[in-house]
Amino acid sequence: MSTLTARFWPKVKKENGCWAWTAGRNSIGYGLIGSGGKMGKPLRAHRVSWEIHKGPIPFGMHVLHRCDNPSCVNPEHLFLGSNYDNVQDMVRKGRNTKGDRHRKTMKIVAARGDENGSCTHPEKVPKGESHFNALMTEIKVIKMREMRRSGHRNKDLAKLFRISPQETSLICNRRRWKHVI
Ligand SMILES: [Zn+2]
């Protein structure tokens, strides 16, 4: 069986400074690489890249992107951050793209969850800004559940994501946003 490093390189395409991941990606654009074992879940390619070039990722830390390209695995475009940095980074990227108005829209989309038409009629999701909002919200939902699983309290998550504790628990218990893994 080939090593992770040996399987990593053929999937990287260096272009314009970024190292694009040419193999599989998850729903929010992160590159995926098989862990090697038969039962193992795929690993995130940018985290693998960090470990290859910079060493082990300290427990609980996230590998974040300096570039706005989730499939990029260039270690020079990556940095380590806490859960808090991670969420701030997501919010900042959303805000930088569309300004404050954008952030407000994201909050509303997040709060409405399943009632949002796009969940039951995905074909109606328009391109452009609304599509971007939906993607940002999915990223938040995934992060929120990840953080809940790693032991963060409901009320802390509510504060961090600026929604009510009730809404946070509905999302984490998959009563909202069921379609998001
Ligand atoms: Zn990059």
Side-chain angles (χ1 to χ4, degrees), residues 149-179:
R149 280 197 300 273
S150 64
H152 289 260
R153 290 181 308 179
N154 205 69
K155 66 173 190 186
D156 294 336
L157 291 178
K159 225 180 266 174
L160 196 56
F161 287 91
R162 299 184 188 181
I163 57 175
S164 70
Q166 290 78 7
E167 195 66 33
T168 308
S169 110
L170 287 173
I171 292 172
C172 292
N173 295 324
R174 315 187 84 83
R175 305 264 303 278
R176 291 271 192 278
W177 289 89
K178 291 175 212 145
H179 67 291

Side-chain angles (χ1 to χ4, degrees), residues 16-19 65-69 71-74 77-78:
N16 305 323
C18 282
W19 296 7
H65 284 85
R66 286 187 209 287
C67 59
D68 289 342
N69 179 3
S71 82
C72 176
V73 296
N74 182 346
H77 291 186
L78 302 172

Side-chain angles (χ1 to χ4, degrees), residues 71-138:
S71 82
C72 176
V73 296
N74 182 346
E76 298 313 315
H77 291 186
L78 302 172
F79 64 103
L80 287 180
S82 64
N83 272 323
Y84 182 77
D85 298 329
N86 188 25
V87 172
Q88 290 306 306
D89 187 50
M90 285 187 303
V91 171
R92 185 179 54 76
K93 281 175 179 157
R95 195 161 55 216
N96 280 350
T97 315
K98 295 288 178 187
D100 263 339
R101 190 170 59 84
H102 179 70
R103 188 167 46 138
K104 280 188 198 133
T105 320
M106 280 199 291
K107 266 171 72 182
I108 294 162
V109 174
R112 290 178 67 197
D114 277 354
E115 288 145 40
N116 186 308
S118 65
C119 302
T120 41
H121 301 284
E123 74 281 4
K124 288 187 184 162
V125 175
K127 294 280 175 243
E129 189 179 348
S130 309
H131 177 71
F132 184 78
N133 284 339
L135 188 68
M136 282 306 294
T137 307
E138 282 195 16

